[in-house]
Amino acid sequence: MRFIAFDVETPNSYNNRISAIGVTVVEDGKIVEEFFTLVDPETYFSNFNIQLTGITPEAVEGAPTFEELWPRLEPVFSSGVLTAHNAPFDMSVLAKCLRAYCVEWRDTMPYLCTCQMGRRCYPALPNHKLDTLCGHVGIQLNHHQADSDSHACARLLLDYLEQGMDAEPFLRTYDLVNIRTVQP
C-alpha cells in the first residue's frame, strides 16, 4: 500500500482554509517523498492560530493559494491512502478547502488515522496525542509545523506496521461532499 501522510495548519478556528501543508509519502515500508509549503489562505488569521503555528499573514505573502497548489497535490493525494494524526480534522479541512475553491475531485476518499492506530498499538499510554506517541517511540517533533507533523505521522505509521499491525482494519472512508466519515 502507498500512504500519503499529510498535516495541515489553519489560520483560524473556522478550519476551512489552509496556511501550511506537509505531505510525506510512504511506500514499500519507507518514506519516498516529502513536500511542504506555506499556503495563502486568503482570509484572516486569529491570534490563537498565529501563537500555535507561528504562521502570520506576512509569512504567507507570495505563497500559493489552495487553488494554485491543488494541481500539485491532487496526483499525490490520488495515489494512495490519505493518512493523518486525528485524521477526521485534516480530512474535514481538505473537504472544506475543496468546497471553498469549487474544486471538483471525488466524493469519497479512503483514509487512516494514526491516532486511532496508536490507541491499539500502545494502549497503556496516558493519551495518544502526536507529541505523546512521538516521545514514546523516539520520533523528533516540532509540533504544529506541518512538515514535522506529517513526517512524524508517517514515522508512526511505519512503527505500527513494524510492530505487526495491519492497516486494513483501520481504513475508513471520508465523504468529502458532506464533510464526515462514512460509517462502515
Side-chain angles (χ1 to χ4, degrees):
M1 263 192 204
R2 183 173 159 99
F3 303 97
I4 315 305
F6 79 108
D7 181 77
V8 298
E9 302 302 336
T10 61
N12 57 55
S13 62
Y14 288 110
N15 297 323
N16 62 358
R17 299 294 175 100
I18 295 172
S19 55
I21 187 166
V23 178
T24 304
V25 179
V26 173
E27 192 169 27
D28 298 325
K30 60 184 180 237
I31 293 171
V32 296
E33 181 182 348
E34 295 192 76
F35 169 75
F36 167 80
T37 187
L38 292 172
V39 181
D40 181 351
E42 301 183 298
T43 192
Y44 81 98
F45 284 74
S46 71
N47 286 333
F48 176 82
N49 288 59
I50 291 172
Q51 291 295 318
L52 184 68
T53 67
I55 302 170
T56 63
E58 296 76 26
V60 300
E61 283 180 18
T65 64
F66 178 81
E67 184 176 34
E68 293 166 339
L69 186 59
W70 184 244
R72 181 168 183 192
L73 291 176
E74 189 277 330
V76 177
F77 278 20
S78 293
S79 71
V81 175
L82 293 182
T83 305
H85 199 78
N86 191 21
F89 171 79
D90 296 271
M91 295 298 293
S92 74
V93 174
L94 174 62
K96 290 173 186 176
C97 281
L98 291 166
R99 178 181 288 173
Y101 285 95
C102 301
V103 174
E104 292 197 25
W105 181 35
R106 53 178 63 186
D107 292 342
T108 62
M109 186 67 191
Y111 77 90
L112 283 176
C113 179
T114 55
C115 182
Q116 290 295 322
M117 293 179 79
R119 286 186 180 111
R120 180 76 52 85
C121 194
Y122 298 110
L125 291 178
N127 64 60
H128 296 87
K129 295 177 181 178
L130 185 60
D131 54 346
T132 302
L133 283 161
C134 286
H136 180 74
V137 176
I139 298 169
Q140 275 207 314
L141 176 69
N142 189 3
H143 204 14
H144 299 298
Q145 302 300 305
D147 52 347
S148 182
D149 287 358
S150 72
H151 182 84
C153 178
R155 295 269 315 275
L156 282 175
L157 176 64
L158 289 169
D159 176 75
Y160 303 153
L161 297 175
E162 288 168 8
Q163 301 290 329
M165 289 187 79
D166 180 9
E168 195 78 27
F170 295 93
L171 277 175
R172 301 290 181 265
T173 301
Y174 201 85
D175 180 339
L176 294 163
V177 175
N178 294 302
I179 309 177
R180 63 184 180 86
T181 297
V182 177
Q183 297 304 317

